[in-house]
Amino acid sequence: MIFLRYHGKVGTACAVGAWTATAGLILLAGFLAVRGWGVLDPAFFLSSPSRDPGRAGIGPALAGTLWLALLTVAFALPVGVGAAVYLEEYAPKNRWATFGESVVVSLAGVPSVVYGVAGLAVFVRAMGAGRSILAGGLTLAVLALPVVIATSREAIRSVPDGLRRAAYGLGATRWQVLRHQILPAAAPGIATGSCLAFTRAVGEAAPLLVIGAASFVTFAPQGPGDPLISLPTRIFAWTTHAQPEFGALAAGAAIALLLLLLAANLAVLAARRRMRRAYL
Amino acid sequence: MTPPASVPVLSAEGLSVSFDGRTALSNVSLELPRGRIVSIIGPSGCGKTTLLRCFNRMNELVEGAHTAGAVRFEGFDLYAAHVDPVEVRRQIGMVFQQPTPFPKSVFDNVAFGPRASGFKGDLHALVEEVLSSAGLWPEVAAELDAPALALSAGQQQRLCIARTLAVKPSVLLMDEPTSALDPTATARIEALVHSLKGTYTVVIATHDLQQAARLSDLTAFLDGGDLVEYGPTETLFTNPRDPRTESYLTGRAR
Ligand SMILES: Nc1ncnc2c1ncn2[C@@H]1O[C@H](COP(=O)(O)OP(=O)(O)O)[C@@H](O)[C@H]1O
Ligand SMILES: [Mg+2]
């Protein structure tokens, strides 16, 4: 094998793995495109789901997912970064901190459907938010939180200590050091890690299905109190139909979801570049 | 009215510091006269940095650090319960071993301290003033908006000195400020330190004996956390009282 000469055995294994994964992704995207391309027209993005596959669209579901994304980021980002700042810069480094750290790490490994069960009990029932966009957003925020905390901690920890010392040495308060040195320096890392957490959360169907996403809402949600609908649960609903036309709709909606997440990633990438440039 | 020169600006009384129970400084007492340059010499790990950091309460940022004894600034106990360490650091500035410019513009680096303490006057005038004092103004005047990290190491260190001066401290603590620099940059910093004499009280830790001899009025020799000898630089270098000082100065292993 030609790789072997250049990379050695481990390197070859990694290269084969990487190329297999890439090929798999291309295959997946290609399959979706072939399946779903036909349904992608402006009407598809605007119209409501319908019993008639020729008229059905993802309008309300798309709006629901945008709302969910907004709420998830609005809840999880401040709470997650705040928790990371507390753990890194304020909390005493004792046994409790170590315990808290391992809890956060294990929460990151909890299956998403379990977050759905918890969200159903806490946000839908106990809090009385009902099967709403709000309950969904809160559940997805909690789902994203462990990864946001972990990556933010990592980003904060990698800020050089000399920067902190220099700022303290100039008579800056703890808050000023945090606000003007640590957070700007950690921001690119926080953005990268959090973006990953958020795109994963917003793409989840399972927890929203457990909470009880409505499958046949024909109007776009106007606010957090409206019934919970989303693109992933819409895709799931269409895949359960027997008629092949609905399979095409599901593929089209999947393409829309992927494009949405891709756009979010690119936006964060661009923002991060700007941050780094402003920073240097 | 300025107090008489006999009143020390800073003094340490029975100062001891430990990190996680390991002693780094034991029972150090010394007085720093106003407007003079005092150097602290001694082998690596003898406690120079630790002693400097006691003078502006930077040690307490280190987890596991424990300080005992007293440090007096203008007669007041810096470690008294009501004293705010932030205020202490505005009076007693520090320059570090590695140049640590903030990843911001030259201007914002210098302006950071004044902004943090709520400076109300003419910030541009202040920035020009301290950059001039640090001998950096002619080199950066045209590009105050350029990133500080683009400067050379020597320029960065002079920027860090200017940045510290901008807070208007009365004491300047310098922790081996030239150890990361080449001889030319070192000479510039030394000239700068010399020009600050009188206006500021400067405490400079250094492992460069020639530098201590060239710059300072008084020299303290630390070894293993003990203050072995402290006195006029010339006396200490030409006629050390303690055999430990003598063997360190002559480079003989004990
Ligand atoms: N942050 C720290 N944590 C633990 N030990 C430290 C720390 N800083 C310094 N020490 C210890 O204190 C002693 C004195 O160190 P230091 O003041 O840095 O010496 P110098 O500046 O003269 O090289 C050394 O033994 C060093 O290991
Ligand atoms: Mg040192």
mmCIF file of all heavy atoms in Angstrom, chain A residues 40 82 96 135 158 256:
data_model
loop_
_atom_site.group_PDB
_atom_site.id
_atom_site.type_symbol
_atom_site.label_atom_id
_atom_site.label_comp_id
_atom_site.label_asym_id
_atom_site.label_seq_id
_atom_site.Cartn_x
_atom_site.Cartn_y
_atom_site.Cartn_z
ATOM 1 N N LEU A 40 -36.734 20.627 -3.110
ATOM 2 C CA LEU A 40 -36.215 21.910 -2.637
ATOM 3 C C LEU A 40 -36.586 23.049 -3.581
ATOM 4 O O LEU A 40 -35.916 23.320 -4.555
ATOM 5 C CB LEU A 40 -34.687 21.858 -2.503
ATOM 6 C CG LEU A 40 -34.125 20.978 -1.383
ATOM 7 C CD1 LEU A 40 -32.607 21.002 -1.412
ATOM 8 C CD2 LEU A 40 -34.633 21.428 -0.028
ATOM 9 N N GLY A 82 -20.490 31.284 32.453
ATOM 10 C CA GLY A 82 -20.464 31.712 33.853
ATOM 11 C C GLY A 82 -19.964 30.606 34.763
ATOM 12 O O GLY A 82 -19.111 30.828 35.635
ATOM 13 N N TRP A 96 -14.501 19.323 46.397
ATOM 14 C CA TRP A 96 -15.812 19.634 45.808
ATOM 15 C C TRP A 96 -15.672 20.029 44.350
ATOM 16 O O TRP A 96 -16.493 19.658 43.512
ATOM 17 C CB TRP A 96 -16.499 20.756 46.586
ATOM 18 C CG TRP A 96 -17.004 20.293 47.904
ATOM 19 C CD1 TRP A 96 -16.522 20.614 49.135
ATOM 20 C CD2 TRP A 96 -18.080 19.364 48.119
ATOM 21 N NE1 TRP A 96 -17.230 19.947 50.105
ATOM 22 C CE2 TRP A 96 -18.193 19.184 49.523
ATOM 23 C CE3 TRP A 96 -18.959 18.683 47.278
ATOM 24 C CZ2 TRP A 96 -19.141 18.345 50.083
ATOM 25 C CZ3 TRP A 96 -19.902 17.848 47.842
ATOM 26 C CH2 TRP A 96 -19.996 17.676 49.228
ATOM 27 N N ALA A 135 -40.047 25.065 26.608
ATOM 28 C CA ALA A 135 -39.631 23.821 27.261
ATOM 29 C C ALA A 135 -38.566 23.120 26.416
ATOM 30 O O ALA A 135 -37.574 22.596 26.947
ATOM 31 C CB ALA A 135 -40.839 22.909 27.465
ATOM 32 N N SER A 158 -6.396 27.847 29.194
ATOM 33 C CA SER A 158 -5.247 27.995 28.299
ATOM 34 C C SER A 158 -4.831 29.461 28.124
ATOM 35 O O SER A 158 -3.891 29.744 27.393
ATOM 36 C CB SER A 158 -5.557 27.365 26.939
ATOM 37 O OG SER A 158 -6.610 28.057 26.323
ATOM 38 N N ALA A 256 -32.014 20.815 4.291
ATOM 39 C CA ALA A 256 -32.226 22.154 4.849
ATOM 40 C C ALA A 256 -31.574 22.268 6.227
ATOM 41 O O ALA A 256 -30.898 23.263 6.542
ATOM 42 C CB ALA A 256 -33.724 22.444 4.945
#
